[in-house]
Amino acid sequence: MHVTHDASDEQNTPTCAQVWPDDQRATLARRSLDVPIADLGLLRLALTHRSYLNEQGIEPLQAVHYSNERLEFLGDSILGMLTAEALYLRFPDLPEGSLTAYRTALVRTETLAGWARRFGLDALLYLGRGESAETGEIRDRILAGAFEAVTAAIFLDQGLETTREFLGTLLDEDAEAIISLGQETNYKGRLQELIQEQKQVTPSYRTVSIEGPAHERIFTVEVVSAGETLGVGTGSSKRIAQQMAAQRALIALVAEGDDDERPL
């Protein structure tokens, strides 16, 4: 599609001084991240949520150039790739299903928001006044997006190896915590977080069949979201069958996300 351009477009394009105040947020973020990012403008962009631009009167078509949404898109893919690489190398004996569950747990919204808070990004975002929760805290979804955007900024400014080093400590610490707490087996919890984040609905489980004698029951359960069957599992109890169904759904959804760039 061809987009026309004339001089009035340039005249109406806001300057950086009109968009961002003369503060030190990018400098403070660089210090907190402990990464020598040279382009502070790129880091400032990573800290800017679209809601802030709306309050500044920036037109929607112009906002794409001043918000962190494009960086968030790139950072999501970088995080997924580096997390998969780290898990693959760290746990050579784990099967695909467990690696998938670990990756889902590590890059879920709650985890990324926690990392954003760890670096104090919640106090440094350019954010609209109406985007905080009722408690005054910034929503996890916004913080997770900001962390993805910051990851992309590090990648664009410093390259892949620096980004890998930056994420390495975070991934090591949280992967170890997940294993030690046995969280890798909570496939139902991981799946619910993923579905709620992407579709804002809660998946449900229904028993398809019960077979075998009373002392050797085999349950078959399917997990459903918006009328679609996401996975089917079997086990000696409904709980085990539900976990198996959730695990298979996670594997399928993550594989679909790899093909389509984003899950669901």
Side-chain angles (χ1 to χ4, degrees):
M1 179 179 68
H2 179 69
V3 179
T4 59
H5 173 78
D6 56 41
S8 62
D9 293 332
E10 294 183 358
Q11 293 174 357
N12 293 328
T13 300
T15 65
C16 289
Q18 291 173 310
V19 176
W20 293 286
D22 184 18
D23 56 26
Q24 299 296 311
R25 296 192 205 186
T27 300
L28 293 172
R30 178 173 62 182
R31 184 182 305 161
S32 178
L33 295 165
D34 195 25
V35 177
I37 298 174
D39 188 350
L40 285 179
L42 186 63
L43 185 54
R44 183 172 54 191
L45 188 66
L47 298 172
T48 304
H49 190 261
R50 177 180 284 268
S51 62
Y52 170 80
L53 302 175
N54 294 338
E55 292 186 354
Q56 304 306 308
I58 306 300
E59 295 296 328
L61 291 179
Q62 295 176 330
V64 68
H65 302 293
Y66 296 99
S67 79
N68 61 9
E69 291 177 358
R70 282 171 51 83
L71 285 173
E72 180 181 340
F73 163 79
L74 177 60
D76 174 73
S77 295
I78 295 169
L79 273 164
M81 184 272 288
L82 290 177
T83 299
E85 177 192 52
L87 292 172
Y88 179 85
L89 295 175
R90 183 180 177 86
F91 307 113
D93 298 324
L94 283 182
E96 177 190 3
S98 295
L99 291 173
T100 299
Y102 285 153
R103 181 174 65 171
T104 301
L106 283 167
V107 299
R108 72 186 192 275
T109 297
E110 180 181 306
T111 303
L112 300 185
W115 290 348
R117 291 188 179 95
R118 184 181 305 189
F119 291 107
L121 299 183
D122 51 331
L124 299 174
L125 295 185
Y126 295 97
L127 187 66
R129 289 184 293 273
E131 288 299 326
S132 297
E134 293 182 0
T135 60
E137 294 185 356
I138 298 176
R139 295 179 177 88
D140 282 355
R141 173 180 53 82
I142 293 174
L143 286 173
F147 187 83
E148 290 173 336
V150 165
T151 299
I154 294 172
F155 169 77
L156 292 173
D157 189 89
Q158 294 292 306
L160 183 60
E161 186 57 37
T162 297
T163 310
R164 182 182 285 115
E165 292 176 1
F166 168 71
L167 292 174
T169 301
L170 298 173
L171 291 171
D172 285 345
E173 291 177 356
D174 282 41
E176 194 64 40
I178 288 171
I179 294 170
S180 64
L181 294 174
Q183 292 182 25
E184 76 280 3
T185 63
N186 187 16
Y187 299 116
K188 288 181 63 178
R190 303 285 81 77
L191 178 64
Q192 179 168 316
E193 289 177 355
L194 182 62
I195 296 297
Q196 287 180 337
E197 177 185 348
Q198 300 295 333
K199 292 187 174 183
Q200 290 76 53
V201 297
T202 300
S204 61
Y205 295 81
R206 61 190 180 197
T207 302
V208 176
S209 66
I210 303 175
E211 301 177 348
H215 64 286
E216 291 182 356
R217 294 293 195 197
I218 298 296
F219 295 84
T220 300
V221 173
E222 61 182 11
V223 56
V224 180
S225 174
E228 178 186 359
T229 298
L230 303 179
V232 179
T234 60
S236 57
S237 70
K238 287 185 180 181
R239 183 183 62 80
I240 294 174
Q242 288 173 355
Q243 288 284 0
M244 179 63 70
Q247 180 190 23
R248 290 178 176 173
L250 279 171
I251 293 172
L253 289 173
V254 172
E256 179 183 334
D258 289 341
D259 292 336
D260 300 335
E261 294 181 353
R262 278 183 177 266
L264 307 184

